[in-house]
Amino acid sequence: MQQIVLSCGPRTRLGAMSGERREIDIESVYHHMQMITRRANSRARQLAEPLSMVEHSLLRFIADTPGTRATDIAEAFALNRSTVSRQVGTLLDLGYAVYDDSEAGRGRVLELTKLGQERLDASAAVHRAAVTERLEGWSEEQISDFVLALKRYNEADNDL
């Protein structure tokens, strides 16, 4: 397998990056994000406990968004309703989610079952352990800086 080496280079005197250096570093960020995703997907496929990335993402969204419907998921993930319908159908078939029809007039609200919550918790624990392992040897300050950078990066999506 070919290894791509992309590194953060020196900054200009005023702390700003040159245009070329910025592009190289942005490509490096993208490359490393792809590696993180690929490894998480691989981990989910290799181990019995984690859910697939799709199942994990959908269950996490349902857990974090009380009163959510399949149409809400389709909108949040920018997916076709039929795609979400199939994916939700899988969650229902596996016993990870159920429809709560008690909220009449609002559509079919999804909620996790006990089994779904247990599977989500187990999956999250496996992935969290992998993150903990990778941060071994990092100082509290480095971890804190990383958290702030990730938070800032992800908050950019709030503007969409």
Side-chain angles (χ1 to χ4, degrees), residues 7-149:
S7 63
C8 296
R11 306 297 180 250
T12 63
R13 199 172 42 156
L14 299 175
M17 301 170 73
S18 72
E20 184 178 332
R21 171 56 42 199
R22 179 178 176 86
E23 289 303 314
I24 290 169
D25 286 348
I26 287 172
E27 179 61 30
S28 181
V29 168
Y30 178 73
H31 171 73
H32 288 288
M33 288 170 47
Q34 283 183 314
M35 288 173 40
I36 290 167
T37 302
R38 185 178 67 244
R39 288 180 181 150
N41 282 328
S42 176
R43 188 170 43 254
R45 283 190 298 274
Q46 291 174 6
L47 302 172
E49 276 304 309
L51 303 162
S52 72
M53 289 302 286
V54 170
E55 292 164 345
H56 187 103
S57 296
L58 292 177
L59 290 178
R60 172 57 51 209
F61 188 84
I62 293 167
D64 291 346
T65 316
T68 198
R69 301 165 297 154
T71 55
D72 300 323
I73 294 171
E75 183 178 324
F77 287 73
L79 294 170
N80 186 290
R81 286 184 186 185
S82 64
T83 300
V84 172
S85 179
R86 283 190 303 278
Q87 293 168 341
V88 167
T90 299
L91 298 179
L92 297 170
D93 291 345
L94 292 170
Y96 297 164
V98 294
Y99 282 117
D100 175 9
D101 293 323
S102 65
E103 291 191 42
R106 185 160 183 274
R108 301 184 78 190
V109 173
L110 288 159
E111 60 183 30
L112 297 187
T113 62
K114 183 177 184 217
L115 176 61
Q117 186 63 59
E118 289 169 357
R119 295 289 290 166
L120 179 60
D121 292 344
S123 180
V126 168
H127 293 294
R128 199 171 14 264
V131 171
T132 299
E133 179 182 321
R134 282 158 180 76
L135 295 177
E136 181 94 16
W138 289 38
S139 71
E140 288 182 30
E141 182 179 6
Q142 289 171 320
I143 293 171
S144 188
D145 289 346
F146 189 45
V147 168
L148 291 173

